[in-house]
Amino acid sequence: NLKTQCAICGIDDKKIIDALKDVGLEHLYNDKKHAGDFSLGMRQRLGIAMALLSNPEFLILDEPMNGLDPAGIVEIRELILKLNRERGMTFLISSHILTELSLIATKYGIISKGKLIKEITSKELHNECSKTTLISSDTPEKLLETVKNSITNECEITADGVKILGNLDLTALLAAIISSKIKITSVNCSETSFEDYYLSVIGGAK
C-alpha cells in the first residue's frame, strides 16, 4: 500500500519506514501480514501513514475513531496529538463522537443540513458548557462588585443579577453577599453537556 502510494505521488519509498514509525507500525515493515488482516485501528493508522508520506501540514480525517474499541480510540487520539505537537500538523476532524473531540479539538464547527451554523473555540465551548450559577438581586451592580471582590471566576451582570461560570464555594460566596447587606431573590445552578449544547445549536434532536 505504501509503495504504491509513493509510486503514484513520485515520493522516495525510503520515507515508508519513517511514516510507519510515526504511526507506531514500524514492526510490520518486513511482515507478511496482509493489510486486510489488520485490526480496524491498525488500518486507520496505516491510512494516516499513507497521508504522512507527502509530509502534509494539514490533514483531513473523517470519523477516525469510528468503530474502534477503547484501546484503539486512545491510540488514534494520542497519535493525532503527537503529530500536532511534534510536527506542527493541523487536523480537520469530522466526527459525531463529541466527548472524544472535546479531548483534542481547539476549535469546533457545527454543521447541520450541509451548512456551517456555528464556530466556537474550545475555551468558548468550555464557558458555554461549564457549571453556571445565577444569583438574582434587586441591586445587580452592587452584587457584581461584591462577587468580583470575593471570587476569581468569570462573571457578568444580567438584567436581574449576576451569572458566574465554573465551580465555586457557593456557601462562602453567599455569606459574603449577605454580609454586604445585599438582598438575594434567587440562586440557580445549572450545567450544560456538550451534547446538550450541540442540540441547542442545531435546534433539537430532530
Side-chain angles (χ1 to χ4, degrees):
N1 283 277
L2 291 165
K3 285 182 177 179
T4 300
Q5 184 73 4
C6 286
I8 292 172
C9 299
I11 298 169
D12 188 340
D13 61 12
K14 291 180 180 179
K15 291 188 175 183
I16 289 177
I17 187 63
D18 292 330
L20 289 173
K21 285 179 179 178
D22 283 333
V23 300
L25 293 178
E26 67 273 16
H27 61 286
L28 296 175
Y29 183 67
N30 291 312
D31 200 290
K32 299 300 181 182
K33 187 175 184 177
H34 291 180
D37 296 326
F38 284 7
S39 67
L40 183 55
M42 290 172 67
R43 289 202 299 273
Q44 293 277 49
R45 284 193 279 166
L46 177 61
I48 293 174
M50 292 175 70
L52 294 178
L53 287 171
S54 59
N55 195 31
E57 295 180 4
F58 183 72
L59 196 58
I60 301 173
L61 301 179
D62 182 28
E63 298 285 3
M65 284 82 167
N66 190 37
L68 299 182
D69 60 21
I73 289 174
V74 172
E75 288 177 3
I76 296 300
R77 182 208 309 153
E78 291 182 347
L79 173 60
I80 291 169
L81 292 172
K82 173 190 173 187
L83 292 171
N84 171 256
R85 182 175 60 250
E86 296 181 0
R87 297 178 56 168
M89 192 176 297
T90 300
F91 288 85
L92 174 62
I93 301 171
S94 167
S95 180
H96 291 88
I97 308 176
L98 304 184
T99 52
E100 190 60 38
L101 285 178
S102 67
L103 298 175
I104 55 176
T106 56
K107 189 173 184 179
Y108 300 85
I110 298 177
I111 297 174
S112 180
K113 298 178 181 177
K115 293 184 178 180
L116 180 64
I117 59 174
K118 181 76 173 182
E119 283 188 81
I120 187 170
T121 66
S122 56
K123 182 179 179 181
E124 291 169 337
L125 180 65
H126 175 74
N127 290 338
E128 291 286 350
C129 296
S130 65
K131 184 176 181 180
T132 302
T133 303
L134 180 61
I135 303 176
S136 298
S137 170
D138 295 333
T139 54
E141 292 83 2
K142 186 177 179 182
L143 174 60
L144 178 63
E145 182 182 353
T146 301
V147 169
K148 285 186 173 181
N149 290 333
S150 303
I151 60 175
T152 58
N153 298 55
E154 185 176 341
C155 55
E156 63 181 17
I157 195 167
T158 65
D160 56 356
V162 173
K163 182 170 73 172
I164 307 164
L165 300 178
N167 296 317
L168 54 85
D169 186 342
L170 186 58
T171 302
L173 177 59
L174 292 177
I177 294 171
I178 292 170
S179 66
S180 298
K181 310 284 187 198
I182 297 173
K183 181 181 178 182
I184 298 172
T185 56
S186 67
V187 178
N188 291 292
C189 299
S190 62
E191 190 166 3
T192 304
S193 69
F194 192 174
E195 288 83 1
D196 290 337
Y197 176 77
Y198 170 80
L199 290 174
S200 71
V201 170
I202 66 170
K206 292 183 181 180

